[in-house]
Amino acid sequence: MRIDKMPIGMRLLAKTCTLGAIALGLAVMSPRASTAETLADALVGAYTHSGLLDQNRALLRAADEDVASAVATLKPVLRWSTSLSQTFGRVRTGSSSLIIDNDDLTAAVSLAAELVLYDFGSRQLRVDAAKETVLATREALVDIEQQVLFRAVRAYMGVVEANEVVALRQNNVRLLTQELRAAQDRFEVGEVTRTDVALAQAQLAQARSGLAAAQGALVSAVEEYRNVVGRKPGNLRQPSSLPKLESSVEKAKAIAVRRHPSLLGAQHQVAAADLLVRATEADMKPQFSLTGRLSVTENLGTSEFNRGGSVGIEAGQTIYQGGALSATNRQAKARADAQRGNLHVVRHDVQQNVGDAYAQLTTVQAQLAASERQVRAASIAFRGIREEAALGSRTTLDVLDAEQSLLDARSLQVSARVSVYVAAYGILVSTGRLTAKDLRLPVQMYDPVEYYNLVKDSPAKRSKQGQKLDRVLRALQKD
């Protein structure tokens, strides 16, 4: 039977099926875009592009310099000074009232050295505390890295979701356009009323509004991706599989307690605070130092030349300073108590975050399974109602409602599928395993130990080590 000879309802069904077949054929025949990007590509881009990582790497290098400053207090201190002085006046000598002019120009150069021999470990304890602070700062950098990569995951999946929702909305607009045309055709031959046409028009207007909102959400998702990854997204592909996760919540919590950067950083902060308590206690004890001095003085007027020096051992102790040393010690103890309290809080927060992450994954997986069943049921219902409408046993409103239910089910399915991937990577964050190293990303990983090894012994500016450090700094500034 020719289409133009069919009843209006059957004609609508044939047109809709034809459009669906054409769309399916185009989807099958169109080749995969050459600019397809994977989630790993996005993570690599985020790792290399992130200004937040650069910022915190610089803060880590600043913490490294605290170790160098503390180590410097263990080394000798050398100081030089020079002066040029002019003396003038007259001197009366004896009863003869002889007056002698005193007009001399004197130059002096001196070199002083000091080395702390023993201070009951005060300076060394501060060196050790600075090292613990560096380790804590490294863990903070790892935590920032996790947040950067997790944001990239959300940005990637956000673009995937927005693209799929736009495609659903576009298909919905096309179908409702056909529904409107069919309703108008049936109205012209008297099969339906003006109300049916108005319903189709209202539904199409709503669909166009939804499409505009979806396109706006896609623009926002693309901008987020560009901000995080550093470039405009290409043809993003749905990840083929979820990351490998622990089989139980308890196993994941055990891993998180051992290796989560927030918890490790808090442990190093506790160690640093305890060391500073011991350092402030040592400050109350005597200090023994080796001192030396060499000086040269010459009277430029008389050519008189003097040279001398001294070497000695000094000992000293602050007996009273208004209670400042005791207050500093009590303050250090209070801060140590605060860090131990913070460690307790962080430990429980880390464990809770793991439990929350697994609960979230379980929830969205159940939602995905439910949405898949909903899509199957809504598809069957839509096809059946559409066929019944073609035979006159269903109204236009029934068809439009069925189409909207199917669209809602597919939208929920898309969101649930994306949420599953985001929740899975959220578990990696909660256990401290969302890092470039754990994911084996093909990037040049930042090595925090390299810079630390260059500065930990506080190299002098003109030394070989200092010159190497200058080259590293120039390279970092160039980047």
Side-chain angles (χ1 to χ4, degrees):
M1 180 184 295
R2 291 175 54 188
I3 292 181
D4 56 359
K5 298 296 184 179
M6 293 180 181
I8 296 296
M10 294 296 291
R11 199 184 309 169
L12 168 63
L13 176 61
K15 288 182 178 180
T16 304
C17 293
T18 303
L19 286 173
I22 292 174
L24 179 61
L26 290 175
V28 172
M29 291 188 298
S30 59
R32 178 170 294 178
S34 59
T35 58
E37 293 184 30
T38 64
L39 179 57
D41 295 331
L43 294 176
V44 169
Y47 185 86
T48 57
H49 168 74
S50 175
L52 186 60
L53 281 177
D54 290 338
Q55 174 191 1
N56 284 272
R57 288 165 184 166
L59 293 176
L60 175 57
R61 294 195 295 272
D64 292 342
E65 297 295 348
D66 288 336
V67 175
S69 298
V71 169
T73 63
L74 301 174
K75 299 180 178 181
V77 178
L78 299 177
R79 297 185 182 90
W80 66 268
S81 63
T82 182
S83 64
L84 184 64
S85 60
Q86 174 74 51
T87 60
F88 54 89
R90 290 185 175 184
V91 179
R92 185 185 298 273
T93 62
S95 59
S96 61
S97 298
L98 178 64
I99 298 176
I100 301 175
D101 290 330
N102 184 9
D103 190 4
D104 294 329
L105 181 62
T106 304
V109 178
S110 64
L111 178 65
E114 180 181 358
L115 174 64
V116 176
L117 298 177
Y118 187 67
D119 62 354
F120 290 87
S122 174
R123 286 168 172 76
Q124 183 59 54
L125 288 168
R126 282 181 167 82
V127 171
D128 295 338
K131 290 179 179 179
E132 291 292 340
T133 301
V134 166
L135 295 176
T137 308
R138 288 182 188 177
E139 296 300 334
L141 178 60
V142 174
D143 201 20
I144 292 295
E145 179 182 334
Q146 286 205 129
Q147 299 306 319
V148 168
L149 295 180
F150 189 47
R151 185 179 177 185
V153 171
R154 294 197 302 268
Y156 184 95
M157 298 308 300
V159 174
V160 170
E161 178 182 8
N163 272 320
E164 292 187 11
V165 171
V166 167
L168 286 175
R169 292 288 182 178
Q170 288 173 338
N171 185 61
N172 186 45
V173 168
R174 286 193 296 269
L175 288 177
L176 289 176
T177 300
Q178 294 298 321
E179 295 281 359
L180 176 59
R181 291 174 182 171
Q184 290 172 338
D185 291 342
R186 296 171 70 184
F187 172 73
E188 291 176 358
V189 298
E191 292 185 10
V192 297
T193 65
R194 173 69 67 179
T195 302
D196 295 286
V197 177
L199 285 172
Q201 289 174 335
Q203 196 78 0
L204 178 58
Q206 181 181 355
R208 287 172 176 167
S209 175
L211 175 59
Q215 289 172 334
L218 176 59
V219 172
S220 297
V222 168
E223 290 302 322
E224 171 70 5
Y225 187 93
R226 192 200 303 269
N227 181 18
V228 176
V229 181
R231 62 178 181 272
K232 186 177 179 180
N235 181 23
L236 306 188
R237 294 183 294 178
Q238 187 87 19
S240 57
S241 61
L242 295 176
K244 185 178 180 181
L245 304 175
E246 284 68 37
S247 57
S248 68
V249 179
E250 295 306 319
K251 289 182 179 179
K253 287 183 178 181
I255 291 176
V257 168
R258 290 197 306 268
R259 59 169 299 175
H260 196 281
S262 296
L263 189 56
L264 296 179
Q267 291 172 348
H268 289 301
Q269 291 290 6
V270 170
D274 288 339
L275 289 168
L276 289 177
V277 170
R278 295 170 57 190
T280 56
E281 292 173 349
D283 290 340
M284 302 179 186
K285 298 177 181 179
Q287 175 179 298
F288 300 87
S289 302
L290 175 65
T291 61
R293 185 178 182 86
L294 178 64
S295 62
V296 176
T297 304
E298 182 178 1
N299 190 320
L300 300 181
T302 62
S303 298
E304 182 181 351
F305 181 82
N306 296 316
R307 181 175 63 187
S310 64
V311 177
I313 295 178
E314 295 182 358
Q317 179 182 6
T318 300
I319 299 176
Y320 180 73
Q321 198 178 354
L325 293 178
S326 297
T328 302
N329 178 249
R330 291 193 300 271
Q331 183 185 61
K333 290 179 179 178
R335 287 177 173 170
D337 290 339
Q339 291 297 341
R340 277 188 287 272
N342 179 63
L343 176 60
H344 180 78
V345 172
V346 171
R347 180 185 181 90
H348 287 284
D349 284 346
V350 166
Q351 291 176 325
Q352 179 185 348
N353 291 339
V354 173
D356 291 345
Y358 268 89
Q360 178 66 17
L361 178 61
T362 302
T363 300
V364 295
Q365 284 177 332
Q367 290 175 344
L368 177 59
S371 66
E372 289 173 346
R373 292 192 296 269
Q374 183 180 357
V375 167
R376 288 194 296 269
S379 298
I380 295 172
F382 174 66
R383 289 194 297 268
I385 291 174
R386 187 176 55 184
E387 292 175 0
E388 292 172 2
L391 298 175
S393 60
R394 289 283 186 171
T395 65
T396 301
L397 180 59
D398 294 331
V399 176
L400 296 177
D401 288 342
E403 166 66 14
Q404 185 63 45
S405 297
L406 179 57
L407 173 65
D408 293 340
R410 286 175 174 169
S411 298
L412 288 175
Q413 183 185 34
V414 169
S415 297
R417 187 183 301 118
V418 167
S419 296
V420 166
Y421 282 96
V422 174
Y425 281 94
I427 290 177
L428 293 185
V429 174
S430 69
T431 55
R433 296 192 296 117
L434 189 62
T435 64
K437 181 179 179 180
D438 289 306
L439 297 177
R440 297 181 180 180
L441 297 180
V443 294
Q444 181 65 40
M445 296 184 187
Y446 182 78
D447 184 8
V449 179
E450 181 180 2
Y451 185 86
Y452 174 81
N453 288 336
L454 290 174
V455 303
K456 65 179 180 179
D457 295 325
S458 59
K461 180 73 174 177
R462 298 184 182 278
S463 67
K464 183 178 180 180
Q465 188 81 345
Q467 293 173 357
K468 183 179 180 180
L469 179 59
D470 286 340
R471 290 193 295 270
V472 172
L473 287 173
R474 284 194 295 270
L476 289 171
Q477 292 170 355
K478 181 178 180 180
D479 291 340

